[in-house]
Amino acid sequence: MPRFLGLDCSTQSMSAVLIDTADRAVLAEHSVSYDEKLPEYGTTNGVLPSFNPAIAHSPPLMWLDALDVLLSEMCDMGADFSQVSAVSGSGQQHGSVYLKDTAGQALALLHSERPLSVQLRDVFSRESSPIWMDSSTAAECRAMNEAMGGEEAMAAATGSVAFERFTGPQIRKFSGEELINYKNTDTIHMVSSFLASIFSGRHAPIDRGDGAGMNLMDLSRDSWHPICLEAAAPGLVGKLPPIVPSDTVVGELSRYFERYGFSRGALSVVWSGDNPNSLIGVGLVEPGRIAISLGTSDTYFGYMPELHADPAGEGHVFGAPCGGFMSLICFKNGSLARERVRDRYEYSWDDFSRALGSTPPGNGGGIMLPYWVSEIVPRVPEAHVRRYRLDEDDADANCRAVVEAQMLSMKLHSRWMDVAPTTIYATGGASANPEILKIMADVHNAAVYRFSVGNSAALGAALRAAHAFHKHHGEEMPWNEIVGGFTEPVKDSRIDPDPDTACLYQEMAELYAACENHALKGEDWSEHV
Ligand code: XUL
């Protein structure tokens, strides 16, 4: 019985999906929220409190405790891990973990009697990990872009201009502000390679998909870029694990996992970032379709055969686990913004959906620029909500405005990818809301399908584990076969665009662009009134 486990260490929760590839079945799926299950860490939505709103860190020990809670709850629920052949995972992209030179031995000595957080308490040279929501490294980004010869050169080499949440600028900031702690750091991991190290009982490499989210990797060569490394921090080359293909087997599972019934000999496969994993988890192993993930952040992504960076410097190119690349744009004001609007009007999610259903497409021309927190695309350094012809006291219109804004912004800012999708796969928590998916279909003028496995990143990781396992045993399988049967959209979930409404949104996109240019560049928007 070929069984594979995929984990996902995301911003707010740790999740797992257990699959059986013979039956093409998901056997178990579970998730634990950090705030709920581990309140002792004091996080809000998985992030530590900070006096500076630009700083977003999480405690890596919390992730270890969450992993233990998750696996033990799954065992209590009857999950049988003894038949698992290989494990892989997904880490929230860009986050980094800093370890002392004692970590290698501590990983090797992991045993099943005591929890991970007890055995690994002393291995961190930095207690908290900067994560993708951090936007405190503007100066470091400028310096790194400059060292590379400008934003365009940085994007051409690494797939993205230097972005605040990316790991290279984060490392530069750490070495600049805490040189002693930086010098005490022996190994810097991504969230993904850190957790792969736990499963492997030794330092795991970084896969090319997630490595591309650091502003440190030469995307065309899958190797560390010497100029980026030098621009980031002194001696960095000796602190980074090697870059490997996404189907690399790190070794056998650490003995620690006997605690949960895993068998000796099960394989530990390199982890990747949440976006490369989701690409596999929704079956985008060839070009043509795109996916929109409605999570803490919203992302818009697709497979990209040839390397082609965004000239505006807003989008990203990462390595795809199935070879080639993936293009992605990330909007920080995803669920975060929808939640803020819901909370502002003291609505439940049912009220929010009812409001979407009872307001007209186009919102009577009322537009919100939904920067409830600083935004990545377009670049908005400080939280700043603007309303155009939209009454702040009209709760229902504000619910529609936030969702329309998110979809219109995706439509405008994805133009560089050169795909006019006719099919969109919707994933993530908010994809359960048909009213949101209707707006998605109409704005993008594309058929939208929903996915039943809520966690496409964890599913993608499980499928990657399966691919790597077969390759390891000399029987490499085509990706279409690997994902087949797992990444089918929910039956009857298709939502077609309405042609008239799609036309209306086509015009509204220009109005939205004018509002955006007015708010961000001071351009006149009166001709659109
Ligand atoms: C992508 C990004 C987010 C995180 C969320 O560049 O920053 O989607 O990956 O975990």
Side-chain angles (χ1 to χ4, degrees), residues 56-187:
H57 284 211
S58 297
L61 271 180
M62 176 181 77
W63 295 329
L64 298 183
D65 275 335
L67 184 57
D68 274 327
V69 173
L70 175 76
L71 293 176
S72 84
E73 285 189 0
M74 286 182 83
C75 286
D76 292 347
M77 291 158 76
D80 173 11
F81 294 128
S82 66
Q83 306 292 321
V84 168
S85 303
V87 178
S88 186
S90 162
Q92 48 179 299
Q93 285 207 259
H94 319 298
S96 43
V97 181
Y98 300 74
L99 299 178
K100 295 183 201 158
D101 60 4
T102 49
Q105 202 189 7
L107 286 167
L109 293 177
L110 282 175
H111 55 79
S112 57
E113 279 89 62
R114 287 153 82 207
L116 288 168
S117 62
V118 173
Q119 297 187 60
L120 295 172
R121 176 157 292 150
D122 297 324
V123 305
F124 299 94
S125 56
R126 189 182 194 184
E127 277 182 17
S128 63
S129 292
I131 62 159
W132 68 275
M133 293 174 77
D134 190 284
S135 56
S136 66
T137 58
E140 287 76 12
C141 290
R142 273 194 301 278
M144 287 189 62
N145 280 329
E146 235 165 74
M148 280 296 283
E151 289 197 348
E152 231 174 276
M154 177 62 105
T158 70
S160 307
V161 302
F163 263 93
E164 292 188 321
R165 64 196 196 282
F166 277 43
T167 327
Q170 294 288 349
I171 295 172
R172 183 180 162 107
K173 182 171 181 228
F174 180 54
S175 83
E177 291 179 353
E178 298 182 47
L179 187 59
I180 305 281
N181 290 340
Y182 174 74
K183 284 194 169 153
N184 280 339
T185 301
D186 173 73
T187 307

Side-chain angles (χ1 to χ4, degrees), residues 11 92-94 132 165 274-275 297 299 316 318 328 330:
T11 320
Q92 48 179 299
Q93 285 207 259
H94 319 298
W132 68 275
R165 64 196 196 282
D274 52 336
N275 297 298
S297 63
T299 51
H316 312 295
F318 301 137
L328 173 136
C330 174

Side-chain angles (χ1 to χ4, degrees), residues 439-455:
I439 297 175
M440 184 186 285
D442 287 337
V443 170
H444 294 281
N445 195 13
V448 171
Y449 293 86
R450 193 162 59 78
F451 273 72
S452 63
V453 175
N455 196 322

Side-chain angles (χ1 to χ4, degrees), residues 24 62 141 153 203 206 213 270 447 467 470 524:
R24 317 309 285 169
M62 176 181 77
C141 290
H203 286 298
I206 291 179
V270 73
H467 184 262
H470 289 297
D524 188 19

